[in-house]
Amino acid sequence: MPQPPKRNNPTQPEQSTGPEVDANAQTSSEPTDLISFTTEAFRNVVAATRNCNAFPQGAARSLYLSYPGYARMLEEQSQRVLGLISKVLKTENISGDIKRCQGDEQLELVQECNDILFERITTNLDIISGLRRGNPHMVVETQVDVQSTSKAATSTITKETPRAGSWNRYSTAPATPSRSMVSARLFTAQNIMRPQIQFKVPVDNSAQNPFKPRLKEKPNSLKPLALLPEYDDAGNVVSFLHPYEFELLKFEPPKEQLQKQKPLLPAPPAQTELMLVDNVETLKQALEELRQAPQIAIDVEHHSYRTFMGITCLVQMSTRTKDYIFDTLTLREDMHILNLVLTDPKVLKILHGGDLDIEWLQRDLSLYIVNMFDTHRAAKALNMARLSLAFLLKHYLDLDVDKSLQLADWRMRPLPQKLIDYARQDTHYLIYVYERLTNDLLQAEQGPQALRMVYQMSTEVCKKRYTKPHIGPDSHLDLVRKTKRSFDNRQLSALRGIFVWRDATARQEDESYGYVLPNHMMLQIAESLPREMQGILACCNPIPPLVRQQLHTLHQIVLRAREQPLVKPILEASNNITGPILLQITNKDYNSKLNCPHDFSHQEETRDDLPTLLGLNGSGKLQRPSKPRLEAPSVPLAAPTLSLFKRQTASTQEDQLRLLRARKESQTMRMPYKRYMAILPLMQQQKIEQTAKENNELLKRRLCPAEPAPVNIKLESTTKVDEDPVYKLPLKEQLKRKHQPTADQPSLAKRNKNEEKPSASMSGAKPKVKNEPMAAIDQTPNAEDSDDDAVIEVPIEKSPTENPTPALSRRQQKRQEKNKRFKAKARTQAQSSNKPVQLPTNTATAQNFDYKNVDFRQFQGGAKRAQSTEIKSQMRGKSRHNNRNNKQFNKLFTFSKINKERKK
């Protein structure tokens, strides 16, 4: 490969080796020489590749290596090529001896060298072609349509500033004048090199290793430096103690800081000296100047998008006469010498909302602060309307500060003048604001106690320690609760897998969660569970670079989640918590009158540019917006009949009499007995109602429906049928004597069906019954004898009804009476109560039993033990429907003797 022509040294005289060429001709021939050199280089590379492919391979190579001459030549050429490659690697400062490495290691060294060479070639070509001309700045602006009356918000919108997105164009139509556009701008640049690459101490993002302070010396100490670890229950180190914890516990603000201050307005920033500190010499000079100042205002600029834990890019400090800006990216390892000033308890450090600033200074610069005054806490103690620094500057200085560059990329180097001016304004007026706040706190109701409380809260902020971000097994559920979505087990499994992958990738690549995969894209992937890789890319717009690189890994996570069996959706993760819920311990006294549940002053304020109904005038005072007055209605309105808030001008005579009567009744004294007699009817009425209510409840709970009330029932006579002494004998003897046929009494089986009179086997005379149909049969069993067959027939006389029964013959009446008697006996055995059973007058009109009114809860089980004289009616007749429940009649068929006599 031909070597490129060497450049002539301009300091040495040119040698006349050929014809002289003027400068114009030489510059014009440079592109031609570059093109010819590139063409020749490609030609040689192609020829070398063709020759390498022409070498024998496989079985042919083994055959050729069997010849000693070919093997010797191949070995010599291989060593020569490795020697040339080794020289190139040493030129590029790549460590490693390629001759002693294996095949895979040799290939890695060659690839690393090629990457460096190609990157250098690409950079040189861009410089020659003019693509890289410095580091141009770029402003990305996003504007939001909100209702605002401040002039600062509307002044930032100009037609020369382009907006992001075609949907957010300017409208030529007249818009509502009460709404304006508030912009949030991201001030950045192209091709910013990552500063963490140049750090001497690499950044440790691992979750296993806790953050350890890198402090080597401890100035202004009351106790020697000791980095003491803290352990968990398993014996693992979880954190380290604060190096200046003892000094902060013993700190007491000096008396000068607890007295009234003399506010001194600083000069404008244009008339104040500014010192940019970007090397060690200027850092030491700034340290000596800061040690002479009694108060120092401090602020920190931070970047967290292209790094996992964040980077402190800039530190601003201001005294009464000078401003300092420290480049912490360059002086990261040397900024710790400022602890001589920051930990001095005699020098006051002033910060605004220093909660995060304290942690960032510890993590990146090993800086700690003792004796701090937080203006944010002071504004909260004074119950100001807003707590932001912009509001304090407007309140005390009537100064409108442009906060549109809060999203600027502070990694840009060199810093633009716009960012330098923006950084100075945060600390330039902070000392004056501190003095005004101190005087206001001393003039408050609590007086010096309020000022001491502010110093105490600021000291508690200085005790904060930085901890690394950590995720737990349920960290992804917090994201689901915030979005208020309902995920099933598959979606939660995918979300958990993607959440863990994002955390591991962000720690490994040193990128933020928002850069690796934003939350809304992660939720979209977990909710849709795409089957293909293109579906994952469709859920991301724009597609993050690391998602495109590791698309296969994400696809495998989604596929594993899809293979799980589907379970019912999990609406709230807190429902699965079975253990006891631990409540946070609070020091609030809820019984105190000073405690107010609607007091939100203890919460951090997130935004101070929200629209309000009250505006500020030129003097800084609140003013109400002017509202157009409503015109009076032309139609007269009628007076209301009833008014709640409007009293009558004059009362009528009836109202006066009513009020007089009510006043007399209230003044009249009544004796207790009269009060009792007055209330007695009411109590009786309530008692009657309560009794009726209880009776209704009892009726509803009855097992059987209520019996119909008898109508004009007249009892003629009540005659009890004497019991046959035969039934007092044993059962077998009863049947033998009772059913033995005689001459006077024929067999019951051969009894004539047309017989008009009943059999006279039973002792005693049966009373005569009138021709009217029987209404009821009163059964009064003997208490001593448990014979269920004793039925007492009660002749009754009933008043004629509207629908009289048709006249029956004597034979039909006897049959009907017999059937009713058998049914009454069967009902007596099945009935549990001792009340008489009333049979309906007409069997044709009898209704079916309604089981809906039966309370089955009253059935408690159990049965009464039968005695020896009981005749169980469990035999069922096949052809005689009327005699099915008659126990005595069915017993006749159990003896063969009776059957034989019956056949005769």
Side-chain angles (χ1 to χ4, degrees):
M1 181 183 296
Q3 299 293 333
K6 297 182 179 180
R7 298 181 180 178
N8 296 328
N9 192 354
T11 59
Q12 297 179 358
E14 297 182 358
Q15 298 179 0
S16 59
T17 57
E20 298 181 357
V21 182
D22 54 352
N24 297 332
Q26 185 177 358
T27 55
S28 62
S29 61
E30 285 181 359
T32 306
D33 296 340
L34 180 62
I35 294 174
S36 61
F37 170 75
T38 305
T39 305
E40 186 65 22
F42 275 118
R43 186 181 296 110
N44 293 334
V45 169
V46 171
T49 305
R50 186 183 299 110
N51 294 332
C52 290
N53 294 333
F55 279 98
Q57 299 177 1
R61 184 174 183 275
S62 301
L63 178 62
Y64 274 90
L65 287 177
S66 62
Y67 296 96
Y70 179 81
R72 190 183 310 109
M73 182 272 301
L74 189 62
E75 182 66 22
E76 291 177 357
Q77 295 298 327
S78 299
Q79 294 296 328
R80 177 174 174 271
V81 172
L82 289 177
L84 294 176
I85 295 176
S86 178
K87 291 180 181 180
V88 175
L89 295 179
K90 291 180 179 179
T91 304
E92 300 299 331
N93 297 325
I94 298 177
S95 60
D97 189 0
I98 195 172
K99 295 182 180 180
R100 298 181 180 180
C101 298
Q102 301 298 328
D104 296 340
E105 297 177 354
Q106 292 176 354
L107 181 60
E108 291 179 359
L109 291 176
V110 173
Q111 289 178 352
E112 184 179 357
C113 181
N114 289 339
D115 293 341
I116 296 175
L117 292 176
F118 287 142
E119 184 177 0
R120 183 186 305 166
I121 292 171
T122 304
T123 303
N124 295 335
L125 291 176
D126 292 343
I127 294 175
I128 291 176
S129 60
L131 295 179
R132 291 194 177 186
R133 296 179 180 178
N135 195 12
H137 300 152
M138 179 180 60
V139 178
V140 179
E141 182 176 5
T142 303
Q143 302 183 359
V144 184
D145 185 12
V146 298
Q147 185 175 0
S148 177
T149 57
S150 60
K151 297 181 181 180
T154 57
S155 62
T156 56
I157 310 302
T158 56
K159 291 189 177 181
E160 290 78 13
T161 305
R163 297 187 181 184
S166 59
W167 57 271
N168 204 6
R169 301 291 186 184
Y170 280 100
S171 177
T172 56
T176 56
S178 61
R179 304 188 66 87
S180 59
M181 306 298 296
V182 176
S183 62
R185 291 182 288 176
L186 173 61
F187 194 82
T188 182
Q190 295 179 351
N191 303 323
I192 298 178
M193 186 177 61
R194 305 185 67 183
Q196 55 265 42
I197 299 177
Q198 300 178 354
F199 292 164
K200 296 180 182 179
V201 179
V203 180
D204 185 12
N205 296 326
S206 63
Q208 291 77 15
N209 302 329
F211 171 75
K212 183 178 180 180
R214 295 183 289 110
L215 195 62
K216 302 301 181 182
E217 56 183 7
K218 185 179 178 182
N220 302 316
S221 63
L222 301 178
K223 194 174 182 179
L225 176 63
L227 301 179
L228 302 178
E230 291 182 342
Y231 301 91
D232 57 2
D233 297 338
N236 301 323
V237 179
V238 293
S239 62
F240 290 84
L241 295 180
H242 197 286
Y244 281 89
E245 184 175 4
F246 183 78
E247 286 75 11
L248 292 172
L249 289 174
K250 297 297 183 181
F251 170 74
E252 288 293 336
K255 296 182 180 180
E256 297 81 7
Q257 299 176 192
L258 299 177
Q259 298 176 358
K260 187 176 181 180
Q261 306 293 325
K262 296 180 180 180
L264 181 61
L265 188 64
Q271 302 177 7
T272 305
E273 182 181 358
L274 174 64
M275 183 177 183
L276 294 175
V277 182
D278 55 356
N279 52 61
V280 181
E281 290 76 12
T282 54
L283 177 62
K284 294 180 179 180
Q285 180 183 353
L287 175 60
E288 296 299 328
E289 295 178 359
L290 291 173
R291 298 184 67 178
Q292 306 300 326
Q295 300 99 4
I296 302 175
I298 304 175
D299 192 21
V300 176
E301 302 299 341
H302 188 262
H303 178 79
S304 59
Y305 183 65
R306 293 303 307 274
T307 177
F308 181 72
M309 295 191 301
I311 303 175
T312 302
C313 301
L314 215 64
V315 173
Q316 308 96 270
M317 296 186 184
S318 297
T319 60
R320 291 185 180 274
T321 58
K322 195 172 183 179
D323 297 333
Y324 303 87
I325 294 181
F326 297 87
D327 186 2
T328 56
L329 296 180
T330 306
L331 302 174
R332 181 183 177 90
E333 307 298 332
D334 302 319
M335 287 288 291
H336 64 89
I337 64 175
L338 291 179
N339 281 323
L340 292 171
V341 180
L342 300 182
T343 59
D344 189 357
K346 299 179 182 179
V347 180
L348 177 63
K349 276 70 66 175
I350 307 169
L351 286 83
H352 181 81
D355 299 77
L356 295 177
D357 297 346
I358 293 295
E359 297 182 3
W360 295 339
L361 292 175
Q362 294 178 15
R363 180 195 61 198
D364 297 332
L365 309 177
S366 299
L367 293 178
Y368 298 86
I369 294 180
V370 179
N371 189 7
M372 184 187 76
F373 182 89
D374 194 343
T375 54
H376 182 271
R377 262 75 181 178
K380 183 184 293 185
L382 291 173
N383 295 326
M384 289 192 170
R386 297 181 184 178
L387 306 178
S388 62
L389 180 60
F391 176 78
L392 295 179
L393 295 177
K394 180 66 177 178
H395 180 72
Y396 289 114
L397 295 167
D398 196 13
L399 179 65
D400 292 327
V401 181
D402 184 14
K403 286 293 183 180
S404 60
L405 295 178
Q406 289 182 345
L407 300 179
D409 193 348
W410 295 97
R411 301 177 303 162
M412 290 186 295
R413 296 295 182 270
L415 280 173
Q417 187 63 33
K418 186 181 296 185
L419 293 185
I420 294 176
D421 297 339
Y422 180 84
R424 291 183 66 185
Q425 70 181 4
D426 290 341
T427 58
H428 185 75
Y429 300 99
L430 198 57
I431 298 179
Y432 177 78
V433 172
Y434 147 73
E435 295 172 343
R436 293 289 301 272
L437 287 172
T438 302
N439 295 340
D440 292 346
L441 288 171
L442 292 175
Q443 295 176 2
E445 296 180 0
Q446 299 180 0
Q449 187 64 26
L451 184 59
R452 287 184 176 273
M453 184 180 62
V454 172
Y455 276 108
Q456 183 178 1
M457 291 188 296
S458 302
T459 304
E460 293 297 328
V461 174
C462 296
K463 294 180 182 179
K464 286 190 173 183
R465 293 176 294 174
Y466 175 77
T467 56
K468 290 184 179 180
H470 175 72
I471 64 170
D474 297 335
S475 299
H476 62 288
L477 297 179
D478 298 336
L479 189 61
V480 178
R481 295 189 190 98
K482 292 179 181 178
T483 55
K484 298 181 180 180
R485 299 188 183 183
S486 178
F487 281 10
D488 55 18
N489 63 315
R490 294 179 179 177
Q491 294 170 338
L492 284 179
S493 177
L495 181 63
R496 170 65 180 166
I498 299 174
F499 197 85
V500 173
W501 168 84
R502 185 180 71 166
D503 179 75
T505 305
R507 294 178 186 272
Q508 181 180 359
E509 300 293 337
D510 196 13
E511 299 287 355
S512 64
Y513 290 149
Y515 180 81
V516 176
L517 183 61
N519 290 336
H520 66 280
M521 297 183 185
M522 180 172 57
L523 290 171
Q524 183 65 24
I525 296 174
E527 187 176 11
S528 59
L529 293 177
R531 189 185 300 272
E532 305 295 338
M533 294 185 181
Q534 294 299 327
I536 298 178
L537 298 179
C539 296
C540 306
N541 186 21
I543 303 174
L546 293 176
V547 172
R548 191 183 296 274
Q549 293 178 11
Q550 304 187 21
L551 183 60
H552 179 72
T553 305
L554 282 175
H555 188 227
Q556 294 299 322
I557 294 174
V558 175
L559 291 182
R560 285 195 296 269
R562 292 176 61 94
E563 293 174 357
Q564 295 185 2
L566 184 62
V567 190
K568 63 180 181 179
I570 301 176
L571 300 179
E572 188 67 28
S574 61
N575 296 336
N576 299 331
I577 301 176
T578 58
I581 300 176
L582 300 179
L583 300 178
Q584 297 182 357
I585 301 177
T586 178
N587 296 327
K588 294 182 179 180
D589 185 11
Y590 293 98
N591 297 326
S592 176
K593 297 181 180 180
L594 301 178
N595 179 54
C596 180
H598 303 289
D599 182 15
F600 300 102
S601 59
H602 60 279
Q603 297 182 358
E604 298 293 337
E605 187 180 21
T606 56
R607 292 184 58 183
D608 57 355
D609 56 347
L610 297 177
T612 58
L613 296 178
L614 300 179
L616 298 176
N617 55 11
S619 60
K621 297 182 179 180
L622 297 176
Q623 62 179 3
R624 297 182 60 183
S626 59
K627 296 183 179 180
R629 295 184 178 180
L630 298 176
E631 298 181 358
S634 58
V635 181
L637 300 177
T641 57
L642 179 63
S643 177
L644 297 178
F645 304 101
K646 185 177 180 181
R647 300 184 60 182
Q648 296 182 359
T649 56
S651 59
T652 61
Q653 186 177 2
E654 297 179 358
D655 296 339
Q656 294 179 358
L657 293 176
R658 186 174 64 255
L659 293 176
L660 183 60
R661 191 182 304 108
R663 190 180 298 109
K664 289 182 179 180
E665 291 181 357
S666 61
Q667 295 176 358
T668 303
M669 181 178 179
R670 295 185 179 181
M671 299 302 293
Y673 180 73
K674 293 184 178 181
R675 295 182 181 179
Y676 169 73
M677 295 302 295
I679 201 64
L680 188 59
L682 179 61
M683 295 175 61
Q684 294 178 354
Q685 182 66 22
Q686 292 181 354
K687 188 175 181 180
I688 294 173
E689 294 178 357
Q690 182 67 20
T691 305
K693 185 177 180 181
E694 293 177 358
N695 294 336
N696 293 335
E697 293 293 334
L698 292 176
L699 290 176
K700 292 180 181 179
R701 296 177 183 177
R702 289 186 60 178
L703 180 63
C704 299
E707 300 176 356
V711 181
N712 297 330
I713 298 178
K714 297 180 181 181
L715 298 177
E716 289 186 355
S717 62
T718 303
T719 306
K720 181 178 180 181
V721 181
D722 296 337
E723 185 179 5
D724 194 350
V726 179
Y727 291 103
K728 296 182 179 181
L729 300 176
L731 179 60
K732 188 174 182 181
E733 191 67 24
Q734 290 180 27
L735 298 176
K736 287 181 179 182
R737 293 186 180 185
K738 189 173 183 179
H739 302 286
Q740 185 175 3
T742 59
D744 299 335
Q745 181 181 357
S747 177
L748 184 60
K750 296 182 178 180
R751 182 181 297 175
N752 189 5
K753 297 182 180 180
N754 299 327
E755 186 179 2
E756 296 180 358
K757 294 183 179 181
S759 177
S761 61
M762 298 178 62
S763 62
K766 186 175 181 181
K768 296 182 180 181
V769 184
K770 293 184 179 183
N771 293 334
E772 287 82 5
M774 182 179 295
I777 299 176
D778 187 6
Q779 179 183 358
T780 56
N782 191 4
E784 297 179 358
D785 193 359
S786 59
D787 191 1
D788 296 334
D789 296 336
V791 179
I792 301 175
E793 297 179 358
V794 181
I796 60 175
E797 181 180 357
K798 187 178 179 181
S799 61
T801 57
E802 297 180 359
N803 298 326
T805 56
L808 300 177
S809 62
R810 186 175 183 82
R811 179 181 177 183
Q812 292 177 353
Q813 290 179 3
K814 297 298 180 181
R815 182 179 297 177
Q816 186 177 2
E817 181 181 352
K818 186 177 180 180
N819 293 340
K820 290 179 181 180
R821 186 186 306 113
F822 292 147
K823 291 182 181 179
K825 291 181 181 180
R827 189 180 297 108
T828 304
Q829 296 177 1
Q831 188 173 0
S832 60
S833 62
N834 296 329
K835 295 182 180 181
V837 179
Q838 296 180 356
L839 297 178
T841 57
N842 189 4
T843 57
T845 60
Q847 298 181 358
N848 296 330
F849 184 77
D850 189 5
Y851 289 93
K852 295 182 180 179
N853 297 329
V854 179
D855 189 3
F856 292 95
R857 292 176 295 181
Q858 295 184 1
F859 289 98
Q860 299 180 358
K864 189 175 180 180
R865 185 173 183 180
Q867 298 182 3
S868 59
T869 57
E870 280 186 319
I871 301 175
K872 300 181 181 179
S873 58
Q874 297 181 359
M875 301 292 295
R876 297 183 180 180
K878 298 182 180 179
S879 60
R880 298 180 179 270
H881 177 72
N882 297 331
N883 298 334
R884 183 178 300 171
N885 295 327
N886 192 347
K887 294 182 288 186
Q888 296 181 1
F889 187 81
N890 291 335
K891 287 295 181 178
L892 300 176
F893 298 95
T894 58
F895 298 93
S896 58
K897 182 179 179 180
I898 300 176
N899 295 335
K900 291 179 180 180
E901 293 178 356
R902 198 173 184 181
K903 291 179 181 179
K904 293 178 182 180

